[in-house]
């Protein structure tokens, strides 16, 4: 019954983004019009992300769908309107003292900067979810919310939080995404360690980069049968099995922590395991957390957590003065700098850590968008390349292939019905085609739109015909076309010279024409 429902509701959402201007083609594109199965614009052949379409709502729904029925409950919430799971928007404005000021917050404190009591009403941060956040006293303790981590508490006293003077300059920056850690200094430092062109600051090329990677790394049609083109019931069933598998075995979200904090948590866990032996069993799969309802996976005043919920659980857990061990990045093997955050991946094990800029896909080497990863056989993948490692991907529609029959051509895989001309969509099985910019083109479309013209007769050169080319000039390899411009002698197999688009057999013939 569920499979029948998926088949019935299949749609590519052709009205979404309709008419949006292309940021790449400008006026050459009449406006975005989604091709009925290629996932590109019918008018300019560019993708949706290259058009001026606001994707926040769609991205939130996509990430919500991705984490549906997983233990990352802090990342999604049921939308009351249509029941579709939706990711709670992560755009946030962080206000911190200007780097020029001498005052700072201890990196292990789990609260925002605290002003003196006389300015208690001044806002220090905002979020589109909760609005302006007013300063609160430093929390007395921070407790983890993850089921398989030993509960720890750590006092945060006045020694951790240094008041910011009322006249200290403050700076606000809006990020389209930031690690959902309660310590805003840690979140900002994480972003500062990314390459400048990849920092998700609103209105910058880094925000555009994140948007593009969200579309590329996490294709909707890799997780939702309703976004695919005409799947059979058998294909829908196989896709649902595939989705369940990666949610159980591979999907995860990174944790941002100071390495010394993680060492402290691990030490506390070992002590707790010894003390609580026999009291219960750990949940290593998609088990439920210790809390349910709207507060599950949240910390006081900070909204939903990211990662494997250790992001809030361990903030402030490091004792001051604890000696740092030598921590090395799992990707580049270079040491971590003292006081700088690292990224951890629960699926990989907490004995491994990454520099923020090194938390990348092993195939495309791009930053894992919003730290969403897929772990398989010791390798870290983005969603797209994890899918490619599991199933063949159709070069026509960009969907994973769940059917038993498909074709291979030009080193790529294709659904049988999708090995078509890129221009007119006619099926190419058994037909002559030409690869143009890695796209198959039928002979009629090639002759009309791509074929070069003979410099002699001005007719298009057939793709299967022999031709002579010199720089941007082309001729049919026939005596009537490739001949001397001076004496009409055939130049097939002869020496020749080209001057001002004329072809000559000798200097004498050149002088006849050009002098």
């Amino acid at each position: 019954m569920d499979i029948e429902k998926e088949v019935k509701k299949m749609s590519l959402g052709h009205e979404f983004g309709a008419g949006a201007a292309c940021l790449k083609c400008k006026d050459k594109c009449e406006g975005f019009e989604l091709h009925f199965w290629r996932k590109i614009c019918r008018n300019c052949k560019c993708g949706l992300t290259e058009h001026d379409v606001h994707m926040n709502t769609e991205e939130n729904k996509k990430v919500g769908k991705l984490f549906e029925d997983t233990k990352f409950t802090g990342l999604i919430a049921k939308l009351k309107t249509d029941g579709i799971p939706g990711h709670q928007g992560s755009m946030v404005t962080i206000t911190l003292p200007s780097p020029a000021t001498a005052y700072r917050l201890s990196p292990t404190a789990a609260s925002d900067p605290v002003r003196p009591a006389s300015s208690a009403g001044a806002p220090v941060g905002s979020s589109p979810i909760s609005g302006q956040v007013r300063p609160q006293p430093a929390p007395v303790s921070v407790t983890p919310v993850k089921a398989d981590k030993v509960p720890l508490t750590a006092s945060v006293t006045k020694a951790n939080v240094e008041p910011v003077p009322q006249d200290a300059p403050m700076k606000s920056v809006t990020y389209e995404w930031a690690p959902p850690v309660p310590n805003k200094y840690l979140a900002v430092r994480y972003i500062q360690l990314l390459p400048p062109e990849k920092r998700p600051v609103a209105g910058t090329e880094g925000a555009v980069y994140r948007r593009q990677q969200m579309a590329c790394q996490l294709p909707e049609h890799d997780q939702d049968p309703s976004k695919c083109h005409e799947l059979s019931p058998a294909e829908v069933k196989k896709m649902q099995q595939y989705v369940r598998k990666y949610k159980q075995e591979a999907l995860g979200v990174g944790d941002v922590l100071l390495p010394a904090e993680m060492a402290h948590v691990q030490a506390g866990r070992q002590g707790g395991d010894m003390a609580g032996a026999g009291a219960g069993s750990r949940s290593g799969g998609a088990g439920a957390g210790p809390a349910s309802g709207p507060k599950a996976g949240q910390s006081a005043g900070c909204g939903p957590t990211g990662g494997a919920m250790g992001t809030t659980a361990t903030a402030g857990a490091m004792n001051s003065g604890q000696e740092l061990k030598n921590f090395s990045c799992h990707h580049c093997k270079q040491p971590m700098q003292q006081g700088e955050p690292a990224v951890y991946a629960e699926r990989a094990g907490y004995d491994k850590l990454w520099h923020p800029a090194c938390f990348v896909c092993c195939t495309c080497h791009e930053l894992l968008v919003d730290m969403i990863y897929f772990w398989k056989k010791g390798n870290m993948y983005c969603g797209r390349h994890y899918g490619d490692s599991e199933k063949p991907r159709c070069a026509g529609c960009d969907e994973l292939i769940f059917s038993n029959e498909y074709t291979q051509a030009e080193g790529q895989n294709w659904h049988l019905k999708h090995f078509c001309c890129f221009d007119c969509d006619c099926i190419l099985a058994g037909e002559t085609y030409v690869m143009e910019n890695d796209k198959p083109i039928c002979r009629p479309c090639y002759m009309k739109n791509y074929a070069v013209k003979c410099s002699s007769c001005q007719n298009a050169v057939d793709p299967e015909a022999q031709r002579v080319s010199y720089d941007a000039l082309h001729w049919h390899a026939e005596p009537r076309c490739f001949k001397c411009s001076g004496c009409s002698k055939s130049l097939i197999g002869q020496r020749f010279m080209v001057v001002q688009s004329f072809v000559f057999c000798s200097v004498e013939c050149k002088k006849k024409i050009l002098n």
Side-chain angles (χ1 to χ4, degrees):
M1 182 62 68
D2 290 339
I3 294 176
E4 292 179 359
K5 289 181 179 178
E6 291 289 351
V7 172
K8 288 181 180 179
K9 72 177 183 179
M10 282 184 188
S11 168
L12 291 178
H14 289 72
E15 295 183 0
F16 179 74
C22 182
L23 303 175
K24 182 178 179 181
C25 302
K26 307 297 183 182
D27 294 337
K28 295 180 180 179
C29 176
E30 298 177 1
F32 184 75
E33 181 183 352
L34 184 63
H35 186 280
F36 65 103
W37 53 263
R38 286 193 189 275
K39 322 293 191 298
I40 59 174
C41 176
R42 296 173 64 98
N43 294 320
C44 67
K45 309 296 186 183
C46 295
L48 181 63
T49 58
E50 293 169 303
H51 288 75
D52 188 18
V53 180
H54 297 288
M55 296 288 292
N56 290 342
T57 301
E58 294 300 313
E59 288 175 356
N60 290 341
K61 287 184 178 181
K62 177 170 67 176
V63 176
K65 179 75 174 178
L66 180 67
F67 289 108
E68 185 181 19
D69 300 326
T70 71
K71 63 182 174 181
F72 300 98
T73 54
L75 288 174
I76 64 174
K78 290 288 185 180
L79 301 181
K80 295 181 180 179
T81 55
D82 52 14
I84 299 175
H87 176 51
Q88 296 180 0
S90 51
M91 182 178 286
V92 62
T93 298
I94 299 178
T95 303
L96 294 176
S98 169
T101 184
Y103 296 88
R104 66 181 181 85
L105 182 70
S106 170
T108 59
S111 63
D112 288 322
V114 179
R115 290 186 179 275
S118 60
S119 60
V124 299
S126 64
S127 164
I129 300 173
S130 57
Q132 293 291 328
V133 179
R134 298 184 181 276
Q136 301 292 333
V140 176
S141 64
V142 180
T143 59
V145 294
K146 193 168 187 301
D148 60 350
K149 289 187 178 180
V150 175
L152 299 174
T153 59
S155 297
V156 182
T157 63
K158 293 182 180 180
N160 299 98
V161 182
E162 300 177 11
V164 178
Q166 185 174 0
D167 58 349
M170 304 294 283
K171 181 179 180 180
S172 296
V173 179
T174 299
Y175 301 96
E176 292 209 350
W177 174 86
V181 294
N183 183 347
K184 298 301 184 283
Y185 280 85
L186 199 64
V188 171
R189 185 58 185 147
Y190 164 88
I191 293 174
Q192 290 174 342
L193 292 173
L194 300 178
E197 70 278 8
K198 298 181 179 180
R199 296 170 187 166
V201 179
T204 67
E205 61 177 329
V208 175
Y209 169 80
R210 173 184 173 268
R211 176 189 172 199
Q212 293 173 339
Q213 292 304 311
M214 178 67 74
C216 179
Q217 295 185 22
L218 302 173
E220 284 186 301
H221 45 271
D222 277 14
Q223 57 170 305
D224 188 352
S226 69
K227 303 298 182 181
C228 298
H229 178 235
E230 296 181 351
L231 295 187
S232 67
E235 290 173 310
V236 170
K237 182 177 180 180
K238 288 182 179 180
M239 184 173 188
Q240 291 173 337
Q241 292 171 344
Y242 161 77
V243 171
R244 283 195 296 269
K245 177 184 176 183
Y246 74 62
K247 288 185 177 184
Q248 293 172 359
E249 300 178 3
L251 176 64
V253 185
D255 291 299
V256 176
L257 294 163
L258 294 174
E261 287 182 334
M262 178 55 72
H264 184 79
V265 170
Q266 295 293 79
R269 173 187 288 177
Q270 292 175 2
D273 286 345
M274 294 177 62
S281 60
R282 288 182 57 204
S283 173
S292 60
K295 294 184 179 180
Q298 298 185 9
S299 61
C302 300
T305 66
M309 302 188 186
T311 45
T312 57
T314 59
M318 186 183 75
N319 289 331
S320 178
Q322 180 180 359
E323 294 185 2
L324 287 174
K325 297 179 181 178
N326 292 324
F327 299 99
S328 296
C329 174
H330 183 69
H331 178 75
C332 70
K333 311 304 179 185
Q334 296 300 309
M336 308 296 296
Q337 298 298 316
Q338 183 173 1
E340 293 192 344
V343 182
Y344 290 84
E346 182 184 14
R347 298 279 189 184
Y350 286 112
D351 59 325
K352 301 177 182 65
L353 68 165
W354 287 260
H355 290 111
C358 291
F359 199 59
V360 298
C361 171
C362 67
T363 300
C364 63
H365 308 294
E366 296 289 351
L367 287 177
L368 292 168
V369 64
D370 293 8
M371 300 191 300
I372 298 171
Y373 69 85
F374 293 73
W375 180 257
K376 177 183 176 182
K377 296 180 179 179
N379 291 312
M380 191 73 73
Y381 293 91
C382 66
R384 169 175 292 276
H385 291 110
Y386 172 82
D388 291 348
S389 74
E390 290 283 313
K391 300 287 182 181
R393 187 181 295 277
C394 177
C397 67
D398 196 47
E399 296 171 15
L400 296 176
I401 300 175
F402 293 95
S403 60
N404 294 327
E405 295 183 354
Y406 60 95
T407 188
Q408 292 182 320
E410 305 297 332
Q412 301 181 91
N413 303 301
W414 311 77
H415 286 112
L416 296 178
K417 60 188 176 184
H418 290 162
F419 186 53
C420 304
C421 173
F422 190 67
D423 282 11
C424 70
D425 292 330
C426 71
I427 295 178
L428 296 174
E431 302 293 335
T432 299
Y433 66 90
V434 182
M435 294 301 292
E436 191 71 26
N437 298 322
D438 295 326
K439 305 296 183 183
I441 306 295
C442 69
R443 185 182 177 279
C445 285
Y446 177 84
M447 294 297 289
K448 178 182 178 181
N449 302 322
Y450 302 95
V452 296
K453 289 187 176 182
C454 176
S455 298
S456 177
C457 69
Q458 298 302 309
N459 292 323
V461 180
D462 190 279
E464 295 184 315
Q466 291 186 335
R467 71 185 183 194
V468 179
S469 297
Y470 182 88
D471 289 339
L473 300 175
H474 309 275
W475 299 267
H476 287 103
E478 300 175 5
R480 62 182 178 85
C481 289
F482 190 52
K483 59 186 179 181
C484 176
S485 299
C487 66
S488 298
K489 173 186 175 181
S490 174
L491 296 176
I492 301 295
Q494 305 296 317
R495 295 173 64 87
F496 65 92
M497 67 177 68
V498 177
V499 181
Q500 298 178 12
S501 300
F502 293 98
V503 58
F504 301 103
C505 65
S506 64
V507 174
E508 289 75 15
C509 284
K510 184 190 78 169
K511 291 180 179 179
K512 290 180 183 179
I513 301 298
L514 299 179
N515 290 341

